[in-house]
Amino acid sequence: MLELYHAEPGANSMKCLHCLKEKGLDFVSHYVDLLRFEQHSPEFVKLNPNGQVPVLVHDGAIITESTVINEYLEDVFPEVPLRPANPVERARMRIFSKFVDEYFCPALSMWGWHIMVRKVAQSLKKDELEKILGQIPLKEQRDKWATVAGDSFTPAQLDDSRRKIVVSIDKMEKILGESRWLAGATYSLAEINAYPMVSGVRRIFPDILNEKSAPRTWAWLATVEERPATQAALAMPNKVPEVLRTFSD
Amino acid sequence: MLELYHAEPGANSMKCLHCLKEKGLDFVSHYVDLLRFEQHSPEFVKLNPNGQVPVLVHDGAIITESTVINEYLEDVFPEVPLRPANPVERARMRIFSKFVDEYFCPALSMWGWHIMVRKVAQSLKKDELEKILGQIPLKEQRDKWATVAGDSFTPAQLDDSRRKIVVSIDKMEKILGESRWLAGATYSLAEINAYPMVSGVRRIFPDILNEKSAPRTWAWLATVEERPATQAALAMPNKVPEVLRTFSD
């Protein structure tokens, strides 16, 4: 049995929902409500000691990290391939996915915390916040909560993240000027791993990503969104109020 | 033809030298002397616009990022397997490799910059430093050079990186208490990708990693180092003067 513990179809949860839908795999969906801090609950932390979504459970085996989950799904269910057969393209898929994980996503995520999680943190009473902080297993996550509950990130930090988002979209424009898809001639996990971040940029920074500023990425986004699997993943439950949405539409 | 552009057998260069030696693959070695800033030369930046080693060139195709290079070598030359056949172990291999890339290595690397690159930066005249900074393609790398040429990282940043190194070794102790190797029952790329960082900790922080403080990791290190492939990789050229060595022995 395949089970996915995930939040709304945005950010890292979207990557795995999208991959499962592209592959046409049946799975049991467990919605983890991040706004109710269910990811820090003792039951969830038993699954993932880092207290983060998504988590895949396959016949009892627990797999964490969205990028690794998608490679795992490819290893076990290769019938609908999302890794290019050509090893050079496969390497390009991994290089781009790594770039998303290490550069693009953290830059966008800082803005997600600054805009969305900050509203949540500031709506909490001091004792509620203390209780939440006390349950977060990762120091890095606790620090981010404390930051947005206080003065938030510095203007210099936010500017630098914005710059990185511009670099990320520029990189996509360059790659998509040279090949049909991000890894080459094949629609791959590079698309699936990048999609929620690019969609988040369109939402938060329409000045950085629009039809004129980044026409290839804009067209890429439309083509990805036309796919039935993308639409099926985006139709998964979303309990985030409109006012708090950053990554998900 | 296989060609590897690499520095001394430490840090990320060691990961790919080690993998090539385990697989018994012939390759043309191109030594890139980081202390002569050859990684920023126009010829090298044509190969890797990020100006970083290692880079693999296989029959003209350029592959960057040490972790991706090792997966590529596995995809193309699977005869001596370094990825577990079991997909759950394979996922564990990738989760640990990702942890090394995103957490363990950056934490140790900050100390490498603070101890070693700082000595280099401070030995340069102002105009020499300006010239080097002007050639570095990545802003993040330029910023690190400017940091270590000045007051270096703050005590708080260095302390936090030290804390992360302790967390990394603790994680290894836990995993190695549950399985023979980092990904499970199979010696894998998880060992190869972690080895140079663990070896660097032994060199820089003998108080964090010694036979008493982390006995399983200590024994793991000895077992990895007994392998002929590890010894062959460690015997590759090393032009770094002893006083500047951090990652490599």
Side-chain angles (χ1 to χ4, degrees), chain B residues 11-183:
Chain B
N12 292 326
S13 288
M14 177 62 186
K15 287 161 65 175
C16 299
L17 290 168
H18 198 171
C19 182
L20 285 161
K21 294 293 185 184
E22 284 284 356
K23 288 182 167 290
L25 295 169
D26 282 331
F27 64 98
V28 177
S29 156
H30 299 284
Y31 192 95
V32 180
D33 193 336
L34 305 182
L35 293 176
R36 298 173 76 104
F37 314 107
E38 291 176 357
Q39 73 278 27
H40 308 145
S41 69
E43 306 78 53
F44 188 79
V45 169
K46 269 185 213 157
L47 273 181
N48 182 3
N50 287 347
Q52 292 178 310
V53 289
V55 175
L56 184 78
V57 182
H58 183 209
D59 296 339
I62 298 165
I63 317 286
T64 59
E65 297 289 350
S66 53
T67 307
V68 178
I69 290 171
N70 284 355
E71 288 249 20
Y72 176 84
L73 290 170
E74 187 70 20
D75 283 336
V76 181
F77 305 102
E79 294 75 13
V80 178
L82 292 168
R83 261 191 318 226
N86 175 322
V88 175
E89 286 201 1
R90 194 174 284 206
R92 286 186 191 145
M93 174 199 91
R94 291 189 175 121
I95 291 168
F96 200 83
S97 299
K98 194 169 164 64
F99 172 77
V100 169
D101 287 354
E102 297 179 5
Y103 189 93
F104 188 5
C105 178
L108 189 64
S109 172
M110 181 185 283
W111 279 91
W113 279 79
H114 179 64
I115 295 170
M116 168 189 167
V117 189
R118 183 166 166 76
K119 283 185 193 144
V120 178
Q122 296 191 329
S123 73
L124 298 168
K125 290 182 194 140
K126 198 171 171 231
D127 59 332
E128 289 172 327
L129 182 68
E130 295 290 323
K131 192 180 159 215
I132 289 162
L133 287 176
Q135 285 198 319
I136 301 177
L138 281 188
K139 180 182 185 299
E140 289 71 22
Q141 295 294 104
R142 279 199 303 278
D143 288 352
K144 281 198 282 185
W145 271 95
T147 299
V148 295
D151 292 335
S152 196
F153 302 98
T154 65
Q157 286 175 313
L158 289 164
D159 281 353
D160 196 53
S161 282
R162 193 186 194 284
R163 179 189 65 79
K164 288 181 176 174
I165 292 164
V166 172
V167 169
S168 302
I169 299 295
D170 283 351
K171 185 187 275 271
M172 284 190 62
E173 282 296 295
K174 183 163 181 294
I175 294 173
L176 294 172
E178 290 162 0
S179 60
R180 173 74 185 88
W181 298 106
L182 290 169

Side-chain angles (χ1 to χ4, degrees), chain A residues 111-124 145 147-153 244:
Chain A
W111 279 91
W113 278 79
H114 178 66
I115 295 170
M116 168 188 167
V117 189
R118 184 167 167 75
K119 283 185 191 142
V120 178
Q122 295 190 331
S123 74
L124 298 168
W145 271 96
T147 299
V148 295
D151 293 334
S152 196
F153 302 98
L244 290 180

